[in-house]
Amino acid sequence: MDFNLNADMAESYGTWVMGNDEALLPIINSANIACGFHAGDYNIMANTMRKAMENHVSIGAHPGFYDLHGFGRRPINLSVNEVEHLIAYQLGAAMGAAALAGAKVTHVKPHGALNNMAANNIDMAMAIARAVKAVDASQIFLAPVLSQLVVAGDKCGLSVAQEIFADRAYMPDGQLAPRSRPDAMIDDPDMALTRSLAMLVEHKITAIDGTTLPITPHSLCVHGDGPSAVAMAEHLQTGLTEAGLVAKTLPEMMV
Amino acid sequence: MDFNLNADMAESYGTWVMGNDEALLPIINSANIACGFHAGDYNIMANTMRKAMENHVSIGAHPGFYDLHGFGRRPINLSVNEVEHLIAYQLGAAMGAAALAGAKVTHVKPHGALNNMAANNIDMAMAIARAVKAVDASQIFLAPVLSQLVVAGDKCGLSVAQEIFADRAYMPDGQLAPRSRPDAMIDDPDMALTRSLAMLVEHKITAIDGTTLPITPHSLCVHGDGPSAVAMAEHLQTGLTEAGLVAKTLPEMMV
Amino acid sequence: MDFNLNADMAESYGTWVMGNDEALLPIINSANIACGFHAGDYNIMANTMRKAMENHVSIGAHPGFYDLHGFGRRPINLSVNEVEHLIAYQLGAAMGAAALAGAKVTHVKPHGALNNMAANNIDMAMAIARAVKAVDASQIFLAPVLSQLVVAGDKCGLSVAQEIFADRAYMPDGQLAPRSRPDAMIDDPDMALTRSLAMLVEHKITAIDGTTLPITPHSLCVHGDGPSAVAMAEHLQTGLTEAGLVAKTLPEMMV
Amino acid sequence: MDFNLNADMAESYGTWVMGNDEALLPIINSANIACGFHAGDYNIMANTMRKAMENHVSIGAHPGFYDLHGFGRRPINLSVNEVEHLIAYQLGAAMGAAALAGAKVTHVKPHGALNNMAANNIDMAMAIARAVKAVDASQIFLAPVLSQLVVAGDKCGLSVAQEIFADRAYMPDGQLAPRSRPDAMIDDPDMALTRSLAMLVEHKITAIDGTTLPITPHSLCVHGDGPSAVAMAEHLQTGLTEAGLVAKTLPEMMV
């Protein structure tokens, strides 16, 4: 049985640094590269892609709302046409940066508020999937399990990789528990590992109220920011490997 | 004998409008599409590309410095690596927008201060040409006659289309006369047409001091802003056609 | 009986031009100067203030959300502290620009989505009013009639000037009819003048369903963009004056 | 004998963090608050001012070029009018934020490339000083020793506080040694302290070639970024105090 560890990357901007990409790259298998709209810039993107390649980490475009000050975490109401344009531009930009770096963009994962809104809005999810397909139909579409993004990716005929979170609790309807809840975050590395194994091997999520949700996950998202992020990622990568699972990049997973 | 008329396009931003793209598109043959860094945005790019296609106008990426407030007209000192990243990102973004719009980017022309600096700086010109080649070696490289950009495009093995200006005077060294000179601009449409014909047919520029410079031009740049821009473009397109020249898109020119 | 005509100004940005400030300044009595967050920049602000003074037009700060691409028309969820910071920064910036220009900021009017949200949200309205008071308690607070901004300005002890729209229809609850309705805009200059007179002289708004709403208005807002904006403003200024009303700046109104 | 320790502050932006303001505030005496153009934003400014006040640290505006991506470190050619507008806007914005925070802006220090360019360009230095004077003539003007900014501040009748750097070598003409030189930075805390004492007590700088330059310094600039910045600042504050010098805020220094 195989698995994939993904993390958001290249979220620095100009002289501002965010996250710890250097430390995470040897641990993860796939990197979601911010595309300059909510974070990242043309230099950071190309440079991070070069380092990802050196670490045998596959590369994804991580497009977000055009909102540096809000880091793409604030809902912005766009028409479906605007969402298509938003995605096409950023995926293209990532592909351009990758071509220069001698790399290849192999997946797309929307960021922040864009991801959250589309997870529950089929029109927005379809706009994202359509744009990905129009720009490069061979892209893997990395989408949260049980979300409208999975539905949209399927409908558009994209290869859909389904994503779970190691360190987040789930609601009975399959959505992430809002961060405002005290039990939303799973900080204990052992509990995160146990939950990840259950999700990956038994194909089920146990929600906050005990409900069991069947899933077919491919990739586990870990976070790059926060003081204990690298240790958590390392614990999960090691624990899953020791449990007999085989780490793969997304293109290796989805063949 | 054939010729090409090109103009900068998609230079609006958000709710701000610049130029008169609707009126110019039926007149010109190739459009240089601003890529969101000095002007343009993800919506304007895709929408303008759609209209260009309807008008049988070929599409180019028009990358500039990352400087909306200065409209890309201010020199910014970047390393050659940064210049490569700058171009790769914007060319990729334009290709993404084009893929969505069902269009194709077929040429690249740098904008403003980036173009002016690279015209006289072989290192910068080489960085631009290298990035274009890395992202898509089939792009036509639209470069000012007698500039280092022509040299760089040739060295990188790109198809180089050489550009002249209908409404600008030239210095004896082949550079554009600075706008600060009273004789820098050629406002009279008949004089602009006469000069354009001399450049296109006789393959020579007569500089401000009477010096004659041999050139091998392919494309004539017209401006989209200013109250008389559309009339000037129309006068040139009509006059050149009446003189027996055949208007073509850049890909048609460069076969 | 006196009245005031106000308009939004300085909404250009860098090389992009919006509106027709030169033509409107001789017609209006008070100018709401964009503060660089949704439109305007440090040069345009100071230069527009200089021209306002030459035209005996009083100057207001017109703060908006930090959103150039959306022109401040998109709702952004901010905490009340963030709203206070947003207003204090922009009002201060406008006062700095005015000091340099030898002018004086005498009123504050929030822009776009910020104004619309606060009109219906007392917490947000109070945050705006508190920030204005903290920075300069002598500012006139220009707020839509029948809105929470009037309530907030009163509660904070600010001098509140109440604003009506000449060219917009009103709902029975006193809110502006949404632009999506076919009858939202009043394009006929004579009808706009008739309605304006009714509002200013008879102190009542006739809503879309015939309901009459009592108001105590001080200032009439006219728009600067659109092809007929200047003609409409001129028609209103002339018509109100011919009806015997006396045009005044906001500080003259509120003594 | 008294002295002042100043540092740049509030250089975070949105969710990106820069420097270690919390650790530096108890050590320094005056804070130069970034004004949102090269770093800082409306929230960070007000929040940092509140913390500065709690630490009895006086507050300055730290205006820079309008260039977030380049952090204000890249030269931008502006006219003197544009420089005046640039300063007036940012000083006003800082005063607005301070008024809300219950604080007071008492000095102005230009940032980065703006400071470096004006240090050697009397026209630009005069534009900055004129704008400061126009907005608030009571501001202390914090300017590098031996620079045109000192000349300009004096000419405009501002109270000029002269600044030296503890950790930078000087050229024989009084300019900072360029960072490209291997001996440009003084990393050894003891050497930095010894040099600072010589500058503050003996009123002289020993340049890189041994030349002695007479100076009349008021304030010592320490840096907030870099892993050893806080330790260096602490070493200087302690060392100078133990040598009998008395730490003061800029307003206390300049009475």
Side-chain angles (χ1 to χ4, degrees):
Chain A
M1 176 167 284
D2 46 19
F3 75 100
N4 172 268
L5 226 54
N6 83 72
D8 298 348
M9 292 267 140
E11 299 193 320
S12 298
Y13 181 75
T15 52
W16 286 282
V17 175
M18 185 172 291
N20 195 343
D21 292 2
E22 301 268 353
L24 264 185
L25 276 170
I27 302 168
I28 63 169
N29 312 112
S30 296
N32 317 308
I33 303 288
C35 297
F37 269 38
H38 71 278
D41 64 33
Y42 54 94
N43 296 309
I44 291 163
M45 288 171 73
N47 289 329
T48 307
M49 287 174 178
R50 287 189 187 99
K51 288 179 201 149
M53 280 200 302
E54 290 166 15
N55 285 277
H56 307 289
V57 166
S58 76
I59 290 167
H62 191 43
F65 283 126
Y66 186 45
D67 176 22
L68 285 172
H69 192 242
F71 201 69
R73 289 179 178 155
R74 304 190 291 207
I76 299 181
N77 287 318
L78 301 180
S79 70
V80 290
N81 280 346
E82 289 171 320
V83 171
E84 288 179 345
H85 299 160
L86 185 83
I87 298 298
Y89 181 102
Q90 291 180 75
L91 173 51
M95 291 170 70
L100 184 74
K104 209 169 145 36
V105 176
T106 48
H107 76 272
V108 178
K109 171 184 165 180
H111 168 82
L114 179 64
N115 202 44
N116 296 342
M117 290 168 82
N120 297 299
N121 180 329
I122 187 64
D123 292 337
M124 206 166 159
M126 285 298 293
I128 296 174
R130 269 197 311 270
V132 171
K133 189 178 182 187
V135 175
D136 180 2
S138 74
Q139 292 292 324
I140 298 164
F141 196 53
L142 183 51
V145 293
L146 304 168
S147 74
Q148 296 299 318
L149 282 159
V150 173
V151 176
D154 283 342
K155 275 199 186 170
C156 286
L158 295 170
S159 171
V160 179
Q162 300 194 34
E163 179 185 47
I164 49 175
F165 288 84
D167 61 355
R168 295 290 298 274
Y170 281 84
M171 303 303 289
D173 64 354
Q175 300 208 37
L176 293 177
R179 285 171 190 269
S180 50
R181 289 184 60 120
D183 53 0
M185 304 301 299
I186 292 154
D187 298 324
D188 175 35
D190 285 325
M191 163 125 33
L193 176 58
T194 304
R195 283 179 61 88
S196 298
L197 274 168
M199 292 189 279
L200 290 169
V201 177
E202 300 170 36
H203 283 197
K204 63 176 192 198
I205 289 172
T206 303
I208 247 161
D209 68 344
T211 312
T212 297
L213 305 164
I215 54 170
T216 52
H218 304 87
S219 184
L220 191 61
C221 183
V222 292
H223 290 102
D225 46 350
S228 54
V230 174
M232 171 69 95
E234 217 151 24
H235 190 71
L236 292 170
Q237 179 63 266
T238 307
L240 293 172
T241 304
E242 285 176 355
L245 280 71
V246 181
K248 293 191 173 171
T249 64
L250 277 175
E252 290 165 351
M253 288 284 293
M254 304 304 291
V255 259
Chain B
M1 176 166 283
D2 46 20
F3 75 100
N4 173 269
L5 226 55
N6 83 73
D8 299 349
M9 292 266 140
E11 300 193 321
S12 298
Y13 181 75
T15 52
W16 287 282
V17 175
M18 184 172 292
N20 195 344
D21 293 3
E22 300 268 353
L24 264 185
L25 277 170
I27 302 169
I28 62 169
N29 311 112
S30 296
N32 316 308
I33 303 288
C35 297
F37 269 38
H38 71 278
D41 64 33
Y42 54 94
N43 296 309
I44 291 163
M45 288 171 72
N47 289 330
T48 308
M49 287 173 178
R50 287 189 187 99
K51 287 179 203 150
M53 281 199 302
E54 289 167 15
N55 285 277
H56 308 289
V57 166
S58 76
I59 290 167
H62 191 43
F65 283 126
Y66 187 44
D67 176 20
L68 285 172
H69 192 241
F71 201 70
R73 289 180 177 154
R74 304 189 292 206
I76 299 181
N77 287 317
L78 301 180
S79 70
V80 290
N81 280 347
E82 289 171 320
V83 170
E84 288 179 345
H85 299 159
L86 184 83
I87 298 298
Y89 180 102
Q90 291 180 76
L91 172 52
M95 291 170 71
L100 184 75
K104 210 171 143 36
V105 176
T106 48
H107 76 271
V108 178
K109 172 185 164 178
H111 169 82
L114 179 63
N115 202 43
N116 296 342
M117 290 168 82
N120 297 299
N121 180 328
I122 185 64
D123 293 337
M124 205 166 160
M126 285 298 294
I128 295 173
R130 270 197 311 271
V132 170
K133 189 180 182 186
V135 175
D136 181 0
S138 75
Q139 291 292 323
I140 298 164
F141 196 54
L142 183 53
V145 292
L146 304 169
S147 75
Q148 296 298 318
L149 281 159
V150 173
V151 176
D154 283 341
K155 275 198 187 171
C156 286
L158 294 169
S159 171
V160 180
Q162 301 194 33
E163 179 185 47
I164 50 174
F165 287 84
D167 62 355
R168 295 290 298 274
Y170 281 84
M171 304 302 288
D173 64 354
Q175 299 208 38
L176 293 176
R179 283 172 190 268
S180 49
R181 289 183 60 121
D183 53 1
M185 303 301 299
I186 293 155
D187 298 324
D188 176 34
D190 286 325
M191 164 127 30
L193 176 58
T194 304
R195 283 179 61 89
S196 299
L197 274 167
M199 292 189 279
L200 289 169
V201 177
E202 301 168 36
H203 284 199
K204 65 178 190 196
I205 290 173
T206 303
I208 248 162
D209 66 346
T211 312
T212 298
L213 304 163
I215 54 170
T216 52
H218 303 87
S219 184
L220 191 62
C221 184
V222 292
H223 290 101
D225 45 350
S228 53
V230 174
M232 170 71 94
E234 217 151 24
H235 190 71
L236 291 170
Q237 181 63 269
T238 307
L240 293 173
T241 304
E242 286 176 355
L245 281 71
V246 180
K248 294 191 172 171
T249 65
L250 276 175
E252 290 165 348
M253 288 285 292
M254 305 303 291
V255 259
Chain C
M1 175 167 286
D2 45 21
F3 75 101
N4 173 268
L5 225 54
N6 82 73
D8 298 349
M9 292 266 141
E11 298 192 320
S12 298
Y13 180 75
T15 52
W16 286 283
V17 174
M18 185 172 290
N20 196 343
D21 293 3
E22 300 269 353
L24 264 184
L25 277 169
I27 303 169
I28 62 169
N29 312 113
S30 296
N32 316 309
I33 303 287
C35 297
F37 269 37
H38 70 278
D41 65 32
Y42 53 95
N43 296 309
I44 291 163
M45 288 170 72
N47 289 331
T48 308
M49 288 173 176
R50 288 188 186 100
K51 288 178 203 150
M53 281 199 303
E54 290 166 16
N55 285 278
H56 307 290
V57 166
S58 77
I59 290 168
H62 191 44
F65 282 126
Y66 186 44
D67 176 20
L68 284 173
H69 192 242
F71 202 69
R73 288 179 179 156
R74 304 190 293 208
I76 299 181
N77 287 317
L78 301 180
S79 70
V80 290
N81 280 347
E82 290 172 318
V83 170
E84 289 179 344
H85 299 159
L86 185 83
I87 297 298
Y89 180 101
Q90 291 180 75
L91 172 52
M95 291 169 71
L100 183 75
K104 210 169 145 36
V105 176
T106 48
H107 76 272
V108 178
K109 171 184 165 180
H111 169 81
L114 179 64
N115 202 44
N116 295 343
M117 291 168 80
N120 296 300
N121 180 327
I122 186 64
D123 292 336
M124 204 165 161
M126 285 297 294
I128 295 173
R130 271 196 310 271
V132 170
K133 189 179 182 186
V135 174
D136 180 0
S138 75
Q139 290 293 323
I140 297 165
F141 196 54
L142 182 53
V145 291
L146 303 168
S147 75
Q148 296 298 318
L149 281 158
V150 172
V151 176
D154 283 342
K155 273 198 186 170
C156 286
L158 293 170
S159 171
V160 179
Q162 300 194 34
E163 180 185 47
I164 50 174
F165 288 84
D167 61 357
R168 296 290 299 274
Y170 281 84
M171 304 301 290
D173 64 354
Q175 299 207 38
L176 292 177
R179 284 172 191 268
S180 51
R181 289 183 60 120
D183 54 359
M185 305 300 299
I186 293 154
D187 297 324
D188 175 35
D190 285 324
M191 164 129 28
L193 175 58
T194 304
R195 283 179 62 88
S196 298
L197 275 167
M199 292 189 280
L200 290 168
V201 177
E202 299 169 38
H203 283 200
K204 65 177 189 198
I205 289 173
T206 304
I208 247 161
D209 67 345
T211 313
T212 297
L213 304 163
I215 54 170
T216 51
H218 304 87
S219 183
L220 190 62
C221 184
V222 292
H223 291 101
D225 45 350
S228 54
V230 173
M232 170 72 93
E234 217 151 23
H235 190 72
L236 292 169
Q237 180 63 267
T238 308
L240 293 173
T241 305
E242 285 176 355
L245 280 73
V246 181
K248 294 191 172 172
T249 65
L250 276 174
E252 289 165 351
M253 288 285 292
M254 304 304 291
V255 254
Chain D
M1 175 168 284
D2 46 21
F3 75 101
N4 173 268
L5 226 53
N6 83 72
D8 298 349
M9 292 266 141
E11 298 193 321
S12 297
Y13 180 76
T15 53
W16 287 282
V17 174
M18 186 171 290
N20 196 343
D21 292 4
E22 301 269 352
L24 265 185
L25 277 169
I27 303 169
I28 63 170
N29 313 112
S30 296
N32 316 309
I33 304 288
C35 297
F37 269 37
H38 71 278
D41 65 32
Y42 54 94
N43 296 309
I44 291 163
M45 287 171 74
N47 289 331
T48 308
M49 287 174 176
R50 288 189 186 98
K51 289 179 202 151
M53 279 199 303
E54 290 167 15
N55 284 277
H56 308 289
V57 166
S58 76
I59 290 168
H62 191 43
F65 282 125
Y66 186 45
D67 177 21
L68 285 171
H69 192 242
F71 201 69
R73 288 180 177 154
R74 303 188 295 206
I76 299 180
N77 287 317
L78 300 180
S79 70
V80 291
N81 280 348
E82 289 172 319
V83 170
E84 289 179 344
H85 299 160
L86 185 84
I87 297 298
Y89 181 103
Q90 292 180 74
L91 173 51
M95 292 169 71
L100 183 75
K104 209 170 145 36
V105 176
T106 48
H107 76 272
V108 179
K109 172 184 165 180
H111 169 82
L114 179 64
N115 202 43
N116 295 343
M117 289 168 82
N120 297 299
N121 180 328
I122 186 65
D123 292 336
M124 205 166 159
M126 286 297 294
I128 296 173
R130 271 197 309 271
V132 170
K133 189 178 182 186
V135 175
D136 180 0
S138 75
Q139 291 293 323
I140 297 165
F141 196 54
L142 183 52
V145 292
L146 304 168
S147 75
Q148 297 298 318
L149 281 158
V150 172
V151 176
D154 283 341
K155 274 199 187 169
C156 286
L158 294 170
S159 171
V160 180
Q162 300 193 35
E163 180 184 46
I164 49 174
F165 288 83
D167 61 355
R168 295 291 299 274
Y170 281 85
M171 304 302 289
D173 65 354
Q175 299 207 37
L176 293 177
R179 283 172 191 267
S180 51
R181 289 183 61 120
D183 53 0
M185 304 300 300
I186 293 156
D187 298 324
D188 175 37
D190 285 324
M191 165 129 26
L193 176 57
T194 304
R195 282 179 61 89
S196 298
L197 275 167
M199 291 189 280
L200 290 169
V201 178
E202 299 169 38
H203 284 197
K204 66 177 189 198
I205 289 173
T206 303
I208 246 161
D209 68 344
T211 312
T212 297
L213 304 163
I215 54 169
T216 51
H218 303 88
S219 184
L220 191 62
C221 183
V222 292
H223 290 101
D225 45 351
S228 54
V230 173
M232 170 69 95
E234 216 151 25
H235 190 72
L236 291 170
Q237 180 64 267
T238 308
L240 293 172
T241 305
E242 284 176 356
L245 280 73
V246 180
K248 295 191 172 171
T249 64
L250 276 174
E252 289 165 351
M253 286 286 291
M254 305 304 291
V255 251

